Amino acid sequence: MAEKAAVLPVEGRRNVLVTSALPYVNNVPHLGNIIGCVLSADAFARYCRLRGHNVLYVCGTDEYGTATETKALEEGCSPREICDKYHAIHKEVYEWFDISFDIFGRTSSPQQTEVCQDIFLKLLENNWLSENTMQQLYCNSCQRFLADRLVEGYCPTPGCNYDSARGDQCEKCGKLLNSTELIDPKCKVCGSTPCVRDTDHLFLELPLLKEKLEKYIEETSVAGSWSQNAIHATNAWLQEGLKPRCITRDLKWGVPVPHEKYKDKVFYVWFDAPIGYISITACYTPEWEKWWKNPENVELYQFMGKDNVPFHTVMFPSTLLGTGENWTLMKTISVTEYLNYESGKFSKTKGIGVFGNDAKATNIPPELWRYYLLTNRPEASDTLFAWTDLQAKCNNELLNNLGNFINRVLSFIAKPEGTGYGSVVPDSPNVDSHTLTRSLAETVGKLIEQYINAMDKESQFWKLYKQDPSSCATVIKTSIGLVYLLACLLEPFMPTFSKEQLNLCPEEHLSFCDEKGEIEKAKRPWDLIPSGHRIGKPAPLFKGLENDTVNDLRDKFAGSQAERKLRTEVAAQLEATRI
């Protein structure tokens, strides 16, 4: 099979570049991570493709930095081995969730080193960097400077006092920190109390870039309709006053700094990671600059959780603006609040919540997970994952309403001739003159609602089939068109929804492209599936979630991953003694 051609911007078309925040490679993503970036971005990318736009969706694992070194220490292996292991896990999880990346790459690539160092050298050349001595925590026991994620302590923010704040950020209040600000800090490797030492580092002079940055934010936040939580987080940073930001760290695992004095240091993850969007695109195509240095013809949409906002609205654009090159800067940012779990927070570090591989183990299909997470997306405030809510949405919204309607239509078409249509879509010569289809032609959204209400009153297909065959053919031909229309409209959210039973090619769907006039075409659902088309075998689309199943799942995923593992081991031991 010939290799698929790379997607590149096309002159005259709407070219949309979509990114989702690069997930850390040091753990398995939980449902909050999935809806916070990759799934939200996927729904948007699919929608843009449905509209006929030219789309490139880029993501990958964020592999450099302290988080990886810490995990490698925990598991007794090298950072590269950790990256290989967890990149594969992330990739498998996202494939199961049917995320439609054009490329899911990695930041530990030669392209990352090349692009990152090139941007650094241009910043250096343009005098946007400075050298300074900073105080950093040093562990005498480990004989090393402690990077931010290798130290924990109490958050210094008034009113917070979280006891497990990291050296770079407090997970509870979200405030960015310096490790020396922590109260009662401890080395995460050996548990000892570190001391403070001087070390030289390079800084990006954000105050000098303030004018360029503020002009960009003022114009783009309006033109790109930034979400309110993104605007609020960005303004909070600006009001606090921009400060020089350190871009180097005393680590080994990262992009080396191409500077003689700092050759034993690597770039700090906040500087390095967003450049990963660019380098991953460079891994996808050598013509990556057509996406990333083409602001006149490319719109950049970025999806992330709220804790990532300042890195994308302040740090990353400042970095690119400082090079003086014509970069494609972010147009629109879509930000989620937190998805909480039952009575608490999802937590990767503590293993609390439902993780990507857990979702697969529940035997609940990915379409249902996608639907639930997207309808429960924490757009303006935190939302709550609850097993009973998942059950209610599955049974009431999908099974009883949507699934029931589609199954009734397809099952009736599939009945043998004399009682149905032998799986063949009927011809209906008078479809345009039918009262029902005339009302359906007004607007798709309103019409679908009206039609389903009408169908509720005229649901006895068999009676209509015998008493008024012409009207029955009209109702069925329109109904099958609505099933197809629903499948197309729901494709960004539930990609495989009902198309197999329609016996249509997976790639075949309305594009809703303005240039093709397909929005107008959608207003005539009776014309969407040709007469004589043979449908597939009907089967229920959704399976109800029983109370016992939901209760079992709630119990199974209660507590942390460590506690679950212990329960499993104890249960296995008890089972072994019984045998």
Side-chain angles (χ1 to χ4, degrees):
M1 184 182 291
E3 190 173 319
K4 190 176 178 181
V7 179
L8 295 173
V10 177
E11 190 74 33
R13 287 185 66 185
R14 187 175 175 189
N15 301 296
V16 181
L17 177 57
V18 180
T19 73
S20 54
L22 306 181
Y24 277 128
V25 78
N26 66 325
N27 218 319
V28 181
H30 56 61
L31 297 184
N33 304 136
I34 291 167
I35 186 57
C37 49
V38 296
L39 180 54
S40 297
D42 182 61
F44 179 71
R46 287 178 178 275
Y47 168 74
C48 287
R49 294 185 190 113
L50 197 63
R51 294 280 284 124
H53 305 326
N54 190 42
V55 181
L56 183 70
Y57 180 16
V58 174
C59 190
T61 41
D62 178 5
E63 302 195 350
Y64 283 140
T66 320
T68 306
E69 284 197 354
T70 306
K71 193 68 174 179
L73 284 169
E74 287 176 11
E75 298 197 10
C77 59
S78 70
R80 170 57 69 191
E81 289 170 328
I82 282 290
C83 292
D84 291 344
K85 173 184 174 180
Y86 283 99
H87 174 81
I89 291 172
H90 275 262
K91 194 168 187 294
E92 183 181 351
V93 167
Y94 302 138
E95 284 175 353
W96 187 80
F97 272 93
D98 211 356
I99 306 297
S100 62
F101 303 120
D102 289 288
I103 178 172
F104 184 72
R106 316 173 63 165
T107 59
S108 60
S109 67
Q111 289 88 342
Q112 175 76 354
T113 300
E114 182 182 345
V115 176
C116 200
Q117 290 183 344
D118 184 62
I119 287 173
F120 164 78
L121 291 171
K122 286 187 172 63
L123 290 170
L124 187 65
E125 181 184 338
N126 294 341
N127 297 315
W128 298 118
L129 301 178
S130 62
E131 298 180 71
N132 209 336
T133 300
M134 63 183 289
Q135 292 187 320
Q136 195 170 334
L137 295 178
Y138 184 88
C139 180
N140 286 306
S141 299
C142 298
Q143 295 285 293
R144 62 184 293 183
F145 281 102
L146 295 180
D148 296 334
R149 286 175 175 261
L150 287 178
V151 60
E152 282 188 353
Y154 285 87
C155 178
T157 306
C160 180
N161 205 38
Y162 183 53
D163 63 356
S164 299
R166 300 191 310 257
D168 62 342
Q169 189 173 25
C170 176
E171 190 181 47
K172 182 181 177 183
C173 71
K175 186 171 178 63
L176 297 180
L177 303 169
N178 288 315
S179 59
T180 52
E181 296 177 304
L182 292 175
I183 299 169
D184 192 23
K186 300 292 181 186
C187 171
K188 284 190 69 175
V189 179
C190 68
S192 63
T193 301
C195 62
V196 177
R197 282 194 183 181
D198 289 344
T199 178
D200 291 339
H201 282 287
L202 287 162
F203 290 73
L204 178 63
E205 284 290 338
L206 290 177
L208 299 180
L209 287 158
K210 182 181 177 183
E211 187 177 334
K212 291 177 182 288
L213 177 66
E214 287 187 337
K215 182 175 184 292
Y216 159 73
I217 292 172
E218 286 169 9
E219 293 176 355
T220 311
S221 61
V222 175
S225 302
W226 288 11
S227 56
Q228 282 304 307
N229 45 9
I231 293 172
H232 176 76
T234 304
N235 287 342
W237 257 61
L238 295 176
Q239 288 163 10
E240 194 175 292
L242 294 176
K243 302 176 182 67
R245 195 75 185 175
C246 185
I247 67 169
T248 53
R249 276 295 180 262
D250 291 292
L251 292 173
K252 298 298 181 187
W253 183 244
V255 174
V257 179
H259 188 293
E260 184 59 30
K261 182 177 176 181
Y262 299 97
K263 63 183 179 182
D264 293 329
K265 299 180 190 287
V266 299
F267 287 115
Y268 189 12
V269 68
W270 76 257
F271 179 82
D272 161 72
I275 294 172
Y277 300 127
I278 302 170
S279 72
I280 290 169
T281 310
C283 293
Y284 171 73
T285 172
E287 298 181 88
W288 61 269
E289 290 187 352
K290 290 184 177 179
W291 283 107
W292 283 100
K293 293 185 178 181
N294 190 4
E296 296 79 18
N297 294 306
V298 174
E299 300 170 61
L300 173 58
Y301 287 76
Q302 299 197 284
F303 290 76
M304 68 205 67
K306 62 181 178 182
D307 51 345
N308 268 319
V309 170
F311 301 110
H312 290 78
T313 61
V314 176
M315 307 289 203
F316 190 35
S318 294
T319 300
L320 298 182
L321 287 167
T323 66
E325 295 185 306
N326 193 33
W327 290 98
T328 302
L329 299 177
M330 177 181 65
K331 174 188 175 184
T332 299
I333 181 172
S334 180
V335 178
T336 56
E337 302 291 314
Y338 292 131
L339 176 69
N340 294 321
Y341 180 70
E342 291 283 344
S343 58
K345 273 190 172 185
F346 278 94
S347 174
K348 283 190 288 189
T349 53
K350 296 178 180 176
I352 294 173
V354 179
F355 290 73
N357 47 357
D358 295 333
K360 185 176 181 180
T362 63
N363 293 320
I364 297 171
E367 298 289 281
L368 199 156
W369 282 111
R370 286 178 63 105
Y371 177 82
Y372 178 74
L373 291 172
L374 286 162
T375 56
N376 205 26
R377 185 174 185 258
E379 295 184 8
S381 61
D382 293 355
T383 57
L384 182 69
F385 171 90
W387 288 103
T388 51
D389 188 39
L390 173 67
Q391 179 188 25
K393 280 187 165 59
C394 171
N395 293 352
N396 298 334
E397 296 177 14
L398 292 181
L399 179 64
N400 294 346
N401 292 341
L402 188 61
N404 215 16
F405 163 67
I406 290 170
N407 189 247
R408 284 205 335 265
V409 173
L410 297 181
S411 295
F412 189 79
I413 295 174
K415 285 183 177 182
E417 291 186 20
T419 58
Y421 295 99
S423 297
V424 176
V425 177
D427 186 22
S428 179
N430 301 317
V431 65
D432 285 316
S433 62
H434 197 281
T435 306
L436 181 59
T437 56
R438 283 205 304 270
S439 67
L440 278 173
E442 295 174 12
T443 65
V444 171
K446 180 181 176 183
L447 301 170
I448 291 175
E449 183 182 351
Q450 288 177 350
Y451 181 73
I452 291 174
N453 289 336
M455 289 296 296
D456 286 340
K457 297 172 186 175
E458 195 178 22
S459 59
Q460 296 182 7
F461 288 140
W462 164 247
K463 184 178 178 182
L464 192 65
Y465 183 79
K466 288 296 185 184
Q467 294 179 356
D468 189 351
S470 176
S471 289
C472 189
T474 294
V475 167
I476 290 299
K477 197 165 192 301
T478 305
S479 296
I480 192 72
L482 281 170
V483 170
Y484 175 59
L485 184 57
L486 283 168
C488 293
L489 290 170
L490 288 170
E491 197 272 344
F493 313 101
M494 297 188 287
T496 60
F497 173 76
S498 82
K499 287 188 180 178
E500 184 177 332
Q501 296 185 38
L502 289 173
N503 196 27
L504 294 169
C505 208
E507 293 78 24
E508 187 176 339
H509 57 70
L510 287 172
S511 73
F512 296 98
C513 177
D514 292 328
E515 290 80 4
K516 294 182 181 178
E518 292 199 339
I519 294 176
E520 286 300 313
K521 185 179 177 182
K523 294 178 182 179
R524 298 171 56 83
W526 51 86
D527 285 339
L528 296 178
I529 303 291
S531 301
H533 174 78
R534 183 172 293 275
I535 66 169
K537 184 179 179 181
L541 287 171
F542 308 107
K543 184 180 178 182
L545 289 176
E546 302 298 329
N547 290 337
D548 289 347
T549 302
V550 170
N551 290 334
D552 288 345
L553 288 170
R554 186 193 291 112
D555 293 342
K556 179 179 179 181
F557 294 107
S560 68
Q561 287 180 314
E563 290 167 338
R564 294 177 212 162
K565 184 179 179 183
L566 180 60
R567 286 200 302 266
T568 303
E569 290 171 351
V570 170
Q573 289 170 1
L574 289 173
E575 185 65 26
T577 57
R578 279 197 287 268
I579 295 172

